[in-house]
């Protein structure tokens, strides 16, 4: 035995010959990127994004890579749990849980049962159970997420864009944080674009991680990007720098729009946003010079979807500026793929019978632009006693929805709270029953589609097994609940049947999808040089919108100040996404959590001058207070944020995923935000809060 | 990024005990050559030397977790003669063997040949110097990577070795304590030399580069400032020097030979030991690496 | 001769951490045992700032202090110039960690042995994909290949970008940075 042969060097045994390959979908955020999972002995060895999938283009983001370590977390909910009289949880069987829950649901007033599901996995199943129970009260996270965007696009055109970043020459990235980058496909495309000599300008109150590759950062005052866009549009219209042929062919009410825009001068926009007049005129000039391979990017959700009192018009301005640049369905502009349309009627023909209820949803009465579904309105109604039973599927509203204390109070008034989740969340702790779900690595979900230049179907299937957890997939868990309620007749088909029916209606082979994990949908490619199908009454893009006018809003976009101003020493609270986290659920991955601790990603950002005035040094613990409450968090004093603002990542201050008994890490900012509703959409205005900041112990 | 020291207390103990062992052996040899009748003190040194070094080695093995879990791997320590640590192992092994032989001879009341003492002294000096060179080859730590550190550690080793022998001697055989004047005077000089060396180390390191400057600031200000000034400088260097100055030069021979003087001297030796340990500890934890501050970060 | 090396183009790095997480999968690392560390440099003052993210991992030094100090020979330079650690020989004395000028070694808290970027020794064998950190990077920050072959991608990219080791003249690092 020579000393050298004691054992191999690290690395030499690293290429396993027994790796199993399978394509599945990431669940690190709503993008659901497709990737090939290589597993060796029930562990993930490599996760490589699929090249042909619109969101991944061959890559996973860091969050996706790290979230896949979910199996390393041992703190799972392992069996169904029932709250006992002393407030603790007892393990029970699935059968018992479903019987008891089923009886309590069928005994309830159907109009008072609510569903909250935020992560968008297999939503068909929980909603169908609700319909079978006779309730229409299905809530998503739209009101704290993208309600403002969908409402606006529905209102003025009905056609949803996908940016062609790789071929663009000039992009204005507005209020878009790591999200853009974190759609790995877009990251890769931005890298290509910059390599090809394209330019990116970041308009944001904070220099996000993407700033590292941007040419220019314009640090506007929070909530004023509408003014920035009005200034840009005014300049374009005054100088005649817009595509007149496109406007003539496709615009409705352009003259009214143009007349209004002319009033927004560069000086006014500069004054309002804090940017230089030359910066605004430069952006306008560059957009025009590079059109149609130029656009203002639309950040999907977060800040614009539910951020400010003026978000709806910000979204309108992005859409309309890109329209007058003539970049629709042009190389390097906005593409409009033909996403497949699958209706309930079509499914019925394929053996998935329709199931509807004539009940109507309890929601916010003054949100005429959206069809309903404001989770904030739901919690207000719950406080008033109008909702008395709730099922939460993969959601943690206590930390994710504004006014966390109000949410807790509302949940406390329920007769029944059932939470389906993989981990013991803050919401699950309040539940009467907790049902364990398997994680995305262990289960099958319903088929999804993702769109870019074309639409591609994807299917999540298991890559690992966990024998220690008695968890079910969402479809299985919902079917079990339906059986407990005596409603098994509502699901006279299997998940396989449902997925196959959808696949066939999309024109793809289900066997092929099962084998490959993803499948491009024939005929979905965006057609360059054509106009997308518009669903407005005018058949055109409504630059002056009858829909908006009809609900008492201005026909053309107008300047509205943000609801909150930082005055008398108060600061604006901005909440956003941190690069490796999506909301609060990522802390279930210990690998992402160590990253957060190592790089102190939980810190609240404060501009150095603002901090100096308040006597705050980098790393100091600060107290952030709003009328809703206060919390303490370490401060990051930085040049990368505008003065008089505090930015906090939205994800921390959560308990699950961590060993029991460990202290809270970071702080959850959402309880600082009041329940407030944007007129027209009922969106949560998550960035309309003023706070005060003070050093702890000073 | 904040920098976390790679080594901590256990390695500081190891370096301290290794040096102390070497110093104790040298003290015994010194006593043999200058005061042959102080046999108890000499024996104390012979006992302290291998015991201290062995405890240090055990600590080292404990700290080397992968080896601790697989003890056979320690056999590989002699693989790379380009490594200071390998040489350290050679010196420590040689020294421990010699020290044990000497101890056995001493306990058997046999005379220790002079050549063996000389070889032992050389090995002891090597061990003491090695503890400094071990750190010194880490080029990116300006606080370690200089010629002064091995000398400083050597002087400190002699000082702590002597202090240990004298302190135990005071407890075990007080009357011998009164007869070792030359050792006391020699020992007295060591903290004074150390003060000079430390001052130079601080001055030179602070002027090397940013990392050196930051390390020194870390050492004499910052997080470790209080330990440095109170623990190392005052307790470990100044107090012993003042006590010994007073007892050796400014007090009557009667006082010098009385119990109070003995206990004062005991206190001063204890101070030297505390200082000796803190010197290693602080040098280990306060050092900052070069690439943390240059050229981009 | 083959001497493997890498180019890291920080002008493209947005600091998404994908490389580090992918490496941890591939090498079965503990959560607190990353091979890749990031340093961020912010210069300027609001609103004109510049920010750079610098991912770092073992530089695979030709003149490797970690190797020369390792008493057991566990750390050594293998074929292709890759600095490797024989985990069966490592006693965990951490001497190499102290000697690495870039602090790019980590200790495995379970075994006590030291580890660091392996340059995916196995993965560069013919027919295998490149190192995981390279293939996982959505921004194309990293290029891997043979520095001794002037026609390799990595050599050409280094010439084109004027990339240099992080610290010149220190350890003959095999990782080049375009900044
Ligand atoms: N102020 C402010 N508030 C915000 C946001 C913001 O930016 N600012 N973001 C908003 C946005 S955009 C959104 S989309 C919402 C998101 O809100 P939610 O979608 O509710 O997000 P989470 O509650 O964090 O995650 C849902 C649950 O999934 C569980 N889970 C994790 N992994 C798995 C798994 O593999 N399987 C199963 N079954 N469960 C799993 C987690 O334990 C967690 O409870 O929050 C919104 N709230
Ligand atoms: N890393 C990461 N990526 C994610 C998610 C995640 O949790 N983490 N979640 C996904 C989901 S569900 C969503 S909804 C999207 C949301 O993704 P984004 O739409 O990017 O939302 P945020 O990151 O919340 O906010 C975007 C940025 O707007 C800036 N901002 C805030 N207020 C203002 C303002 O008044 N003016 C200007 N100019 N800028 C402002 C902030 O700097 C913030 O970073 O991200 C998706 N991707
Ligand atoms: S963007 Fe990242 S976290 Fe989200 S699905 Fe894709 S890889 Fe996963
Ligand atoms: S994956 Fe690429 S872009 Fe992301 S941190 Fe690593 S090197 Fe930078
Ligand atoms: S970077 Fe550090 S660990 Fe890697 S070869 Fe160089 S000295 Fe050794
Ligand atoms: S820790 Fe292991 S690899 Fe490092 S020097 Fe010691 S024996 Fe060598
Ligand atoms: S080369 Fe391999 S071992 Fe090194 S950082 Fe990249 S993935 Fe990890
Ligand atoms: Mo979202």
């Amino acid at each position: 035995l020579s000393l050298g042969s004691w054992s191999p060097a690290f690395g030499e045994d690293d290429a396993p010959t027994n790796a199993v390959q399978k394509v599945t979908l990431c669940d690190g955020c709503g993008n659901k990127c497709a990737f090939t999972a290589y597993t060796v002995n029930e562990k993930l060895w490599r996760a490589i994004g699929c090249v042909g999938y619109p969101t991944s283009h061959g890559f996973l983001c860091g969050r996706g890579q790290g979230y896949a370590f979910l199996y390393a977390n041992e703190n799972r909910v392992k069996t169904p749990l029932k709250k006992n009289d002393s407030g603790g949880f007892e393990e029970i069987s699935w059968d018992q849980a479903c019987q008891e829950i089923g009886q309590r649901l069928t005994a309830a007033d159907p109009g008072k049962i609510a569903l909250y599901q935020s992560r968008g996995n297999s939503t068909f199943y929980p909603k169908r159970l609700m319909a079978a129970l006779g309730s229409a009260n299905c809530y998503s996270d739209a009101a704290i997420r993208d309600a403002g965007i969908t409402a606006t696009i529905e209102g003025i055109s009905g056609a949803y864009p996908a940016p062609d970043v790789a071929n663009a020459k000039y992009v204005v990235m507005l209020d878009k944080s790591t999200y853009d980058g974190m759609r790995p496909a877009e990251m890769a495309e931005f890298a290509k674009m910059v390599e090809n000599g394209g330019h990116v300008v970041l308009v944001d109150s904070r220099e996000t991680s993407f700033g590292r590759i941007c040419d220019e950062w314009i640090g506007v005052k929070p909530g004023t990007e509408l003014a920035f866009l009005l200034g840009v549009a005014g300049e374009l219209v005054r100088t005649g720098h817009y595509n007149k042929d496109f406007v003539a062919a496709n615009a409705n009410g352009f003259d009214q729009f143009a007349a209004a825009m002319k009033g927004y001068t560069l000086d006014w926009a500069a004054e309002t946003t804090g940017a230089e007049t030359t910066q605004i005129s430069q952006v306008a000039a560059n957009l025009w010079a590079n059109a149609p391979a130029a656009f203002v990017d639309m950040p999907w959700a977060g800040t614009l979807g539910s951020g400010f009192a003026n978000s709806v018009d910000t979204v309108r301005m992005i859409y309309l500026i890109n329209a007058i640049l003539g970049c629709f369905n042009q190389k390097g502009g906005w593409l409009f793929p033909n996403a497949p349309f699958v209706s309930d009627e079509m499914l019925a023909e394929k053996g998935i019978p329709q199931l509807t209820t004539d009940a109507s949803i309890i929601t916010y009465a003054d949100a005429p632009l959206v069809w309903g579904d404001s989770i904030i309105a739901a919690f207000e109604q719950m406080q008033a006693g109008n909702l008395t039973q709730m099922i939460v599927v993969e959601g943690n509203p206590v930390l994710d929805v504004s006014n966390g204390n109000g949410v807790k109070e509302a949940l406390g008034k329920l007769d029944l709270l059932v939470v389906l989740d993989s981990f013991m969340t803050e919401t699950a702790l309040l539940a009467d029953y907790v049902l364990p779900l398997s994680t995305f690595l262990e289960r099958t979900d319903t088929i999804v589609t993702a769109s870019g230049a074309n639409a591609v179907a994807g299917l999540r299937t298991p890559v690992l097994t966990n024998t220690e957890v008695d968890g079910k997939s969402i479809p299985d868990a919902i079917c079990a609940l339906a059986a407990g309620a005596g409603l098994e007749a509502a699901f006279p088909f299997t998940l396989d049947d449902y997925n196959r029916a959808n696949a066939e209606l999309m024109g793809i082979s289900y066997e092929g999808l099962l084998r490959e994990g993803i499948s491009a949908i024939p005929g979905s490619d965006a057609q360059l040089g054509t106009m997308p199908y518009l669903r407005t009454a005018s058949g055109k893009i409504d630059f002056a919108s009858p829909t908006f006018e009809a609900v008492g809003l201005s026909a053309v976009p107008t300047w509205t100040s943000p609801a909150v101003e930082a005055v008398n020493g108060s600061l604006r609270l901005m909440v956003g996404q941190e690069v490796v986290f999506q909301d609060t659920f990522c802390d279930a991955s210990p690998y992402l959590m160590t990253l957060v601790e190592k790089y102190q990603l939980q810190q609240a950002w404060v501009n150095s001058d603002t901090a100096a005035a308040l006597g705050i040094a980098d790393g100091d613990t600060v107290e952030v207070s709003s009328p809703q409450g206060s919390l303490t968090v370490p401060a990051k004093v930085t040049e990368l944020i505008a003065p008089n603002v505090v930015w906090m990542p939205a994800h921390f201050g959560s308990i699950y995923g961590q060993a029991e008994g460990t202290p809270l890490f970071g702080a959850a900012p959402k309880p600082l935000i009041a329940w407030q509703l944007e007129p027209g959409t009922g969106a949560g205005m998550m960035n309309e809060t003023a706070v005060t900041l003070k050093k702890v112990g000073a | 990024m904040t920098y976390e020291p790679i080594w901590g207390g256990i390695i500081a103990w190891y370096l301290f005990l290794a040096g102390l062992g070497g110093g104790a052996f040298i003290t015994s040899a010194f006593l043999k050559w200058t005061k042959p009748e102080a046999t108890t003190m000499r024996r104390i040194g012979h006992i302290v030397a291998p015991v201290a070094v062995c405890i240090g080695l055990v600590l080292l093995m404990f700290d080397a977790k992968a080896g601790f879990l697989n003890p056979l791997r320690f056999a590989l320590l002699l693989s790379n003669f380009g490594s200071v640590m390998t040489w350290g192992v050679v010196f420590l092994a040689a020294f421990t063997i010699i020290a044990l032989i000497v101890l056995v001879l001493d306990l058997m009341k046999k005379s220790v040949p002079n050549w063996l003492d000389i070889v032992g002294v050389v090995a002891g000096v090597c061990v003491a110097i090695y503890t400094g060179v071990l750190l010194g080859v880490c080029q990116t730590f300006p606080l370690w990577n200089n010629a002064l550190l091995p000398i400083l550690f050597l002087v400190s080793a002699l000082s702590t070795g002597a202090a240990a022998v004298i302190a135990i001697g005071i407890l075990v055989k007080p009357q011998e304590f009164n007869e070792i004047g030359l050792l006391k005077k020699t020992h007295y000089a060591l903290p004074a030399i150390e003060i000079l060396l430390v001052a130079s180390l601080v001055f030179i390191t602070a002027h090397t580069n940013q990392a050196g400057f930051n390390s020194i600031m870390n050492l004499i200000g910052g997080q470790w400032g209080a330990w440095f000034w109170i623990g190392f400088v005052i307790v470990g260097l100044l107090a012993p020097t003042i006590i010994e100055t007073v007892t050796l030069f400014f007090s009557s021979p009667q006082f010098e030979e009385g119990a109070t003087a003995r206990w004062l001297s005991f206190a001063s030796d204890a101070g030297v030991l505390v200082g000796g340990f803190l010197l290693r500890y602080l040098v280990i934890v306060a050092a900052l690496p070069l690439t943390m501050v240059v050229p981009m970060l | 001769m083959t001497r493997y090396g890498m180019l890291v183009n920080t002008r493209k790095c947005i600091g998404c951490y994908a490389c580090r997480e992918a490496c941890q999968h591939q090498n079965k690392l503990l959560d607190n045992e990353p091979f890749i560390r990031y340093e961020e440099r912010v210069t300027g003052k609001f609103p004109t700032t510049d920010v750079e993210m610098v991912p770092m991992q073992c530089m695979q030094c030709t003149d490797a202090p970690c190797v020369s100090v390792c008493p057991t020979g566990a750390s050594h330079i293998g074929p292709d110039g890759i600095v490797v650690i024989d985990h069966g020989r490592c006693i965990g004395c951490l001497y190499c960690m102290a000697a690495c000028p870039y602090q790019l070694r980590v200790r495995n808290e379970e075994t006590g042995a030291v580890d660091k970027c392996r340059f995916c020794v196995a993965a560069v064998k013919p027919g295998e994909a490149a190192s995981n950190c390279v293939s996982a990077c959505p921004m194309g920050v990293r290029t891997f290949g043979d520095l001794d072959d002037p026609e390799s991608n990595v050599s050409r990219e280094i010439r084109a970008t004027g990339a240099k080791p992080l610290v010149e003249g220190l350890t003959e690092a095999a990782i080049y940075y375009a900044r």
Side-chain angles (χ1 to χ4, degrees), chain A residues 7 10 195 207 212 591, chain C residues 12 14 29 40 49 86-87:
Chain A
S7 84
F10 277 166
E195 206 155 281
E207 184 158 4
R212 293 167 183 136
Y591 286 73
Chain C
K12 293 189 198 167
I14 60 163
L29 306 184
E40 188 185 45
T49 52
D86 221 338
H87 58 197

Side-chain angles (χ1 to χ4, degrees), chain A residues 429-490:
Chain A
L429 282 173
L430 304 177
D432 301 297
Y433 296 89
V434 183
L435 301 178
L437 292 178
S438 30
T439 68
F440 77 103
L441 294 164
E442 306 149 355
R443 73 184 192 210
T444 308
D445 273 302
T446 55
I447 193 169
V448 299
T449 56
S451 314
N454 65 347
V456 180
L459 184 63
R460 177 177 294 140
T461 49
V463 296
L464 299 173
T465 48
N466 187 331
T467 48
E468 267 158 42
V469 176
D470 186 15
K472 289 189 192 294
S473 68
I474 294 175
D476 286 350
I478 294 295
C479 288
L481 276 177
L487 297 169
E488 50 272 84

Side-chain angles (χ1 to χ4, degrees), chain B residues 223-240:
Chain B
Q223 194 186 353
W224 302 109
W227 288 101
F228 178 81
W229 290 110
I230 299 171
F232 175 59
V233 176
I234 296 182
V235 174
L237 296 177
L238 292 181

Side-chain angles (χ1 to χ4, degrees), chain C residues 138-160:
Chain C
M139 304 299 288
V141 167
R142 297 157 176 277
T143 314
F144 182 82
D146 182 3
L147 296 176
D148 279 353
D149 172 4
E151 288 318 306
S152 67
N153 282 344
V154 70
S155 300
R156 267 187 272 133
E157 285 275 325
I158 287 173
R159 282 196 301 276

Side-chain angles (χ1 to χ4, degrees), chain A residues 60 62 187, chain C residues 8-9 12-20 36 38 53 55 133 136-142:
Chain A
L60 290 191
M187 287 165 78
Chain C
V8 175
N9 188 340
K12 293 189 198 167
C13 176
I14 60 163
C16 73
Y17 307 104
C19 45
R20 161 164 153 156
I36 299 176
Y38 306 86
M53 192 75 159
C133 61
C137 173
M139 304 299 288
V141 167
R142 297 157 176 277

Side-chain angles (χ1 to χ4, degrees), chain A residues 94-278:
Chain A
W94 271 96
D95 276 348
Q96 186 192 341
C98 292
Q99 290 295 334
E100 292 183 15
I101 297 167
Q103 275 163 19
R104 291 173 70 173
L105 285 174
T106 39
D109 173 355
K112 292 190 167 185
I113 306 176
L115 165 76
Y116 178 61
Q117 182 175 15
S118 56
R119 294 186 63 190
N121 288 315
S122 295
T123 49
F124 171 80
Y125 275 82
K127 282 189 179 160
R128 192 170 174 102
L129 173 64
M130 290 292 284
L133 286 165
S135 169
N137 299 320
C138 301
Y139 304 96
S140 70
D141 54 357
I144 54 167
R145 181 183 172 211
D146 58 2
I149 299 174
T150 39
T152 307
I153 295 182
E154 288 295 325
I156 64 172
S157 99
Y160 290 82
D164 181 16
V165 176
N167 295 306
K169 299 204 182 89
Y170 188 78
V171 174
V172 178
M173 201 187 274
L174 187 91
D175 280 21
K176 183 153 168 172
S177 70
T178 41
Y179 167 53
D180 47 57
M182 291 313 117
R183 239 185 148 163
E186 254 181 289
M187 287 165 78
E189 291 202 10
F190 270 110
K192 259 185 231 147
M193 172 193 172
V194 171
E195 206 155 281
N196 294 338
H199 294 277
V200 188
V201 176
L202 191 69
V203 178
D204 197 313
S205 313
R206 182 174 74 98
E207 184 158 4
T208 61
S209 69
F210 224 81
R212 293 167 183 136
I213 65 153
C214 288
D215 302 290
E216 192 188 354
W217 168 42
I218 304 178
V220 297
K221 292 182 204 155
T224 65
E225 61 280 61
L226 173 59
F228 188 90
L229 296 172
L230 290 168
V232 168
E235 183 71 1
L236 291 172
V237 170
R238 279 189 302 270
T239 52
H241 286 162
Y242 60 92
N243 189 320
K244 300 184 180 79
D245 295 342
F246 181 92
V247 164
N250 302 301
N252 172 41
F254 179 76
D255 292 342
Q256 197 184 336
F257 171 80
M261 290 307 120
K262 282 189 184 141
Y264 295 109
T265 64
L266 288 176
D267 286 339
W268 170 83
E271 167 78 35
T272 312
T273 59
E276 312 275 328
T277 46
T278 48

Side-chain angles (χ1 to χ4, degrees), chain A residues 26 28-29 31-33 60-61 63-64 182-184:
Chain A
C26 176
C29 79
N31 290 329
K32 304 200 193 322
C33 298
L60 290 191
C61 73
R63 180 174 66 250
M182 291 313 117
R183 239 185 148 163

Side-chain angles (χ1 to χ4, degrees), chain C residues 33-52:
Chain C
E33 187 196 11
F35 287 172
I36 299 176
R37 186 181 94 219
Y38 306 86
E39 298 287 347
E40 188 185 45
R41 183 179 65 167
V42 178
T43 46
K45 194 154 169 53
F46 178 88
T48 42
T49 52
D50 195 18
V51 45
E52 184 194 25

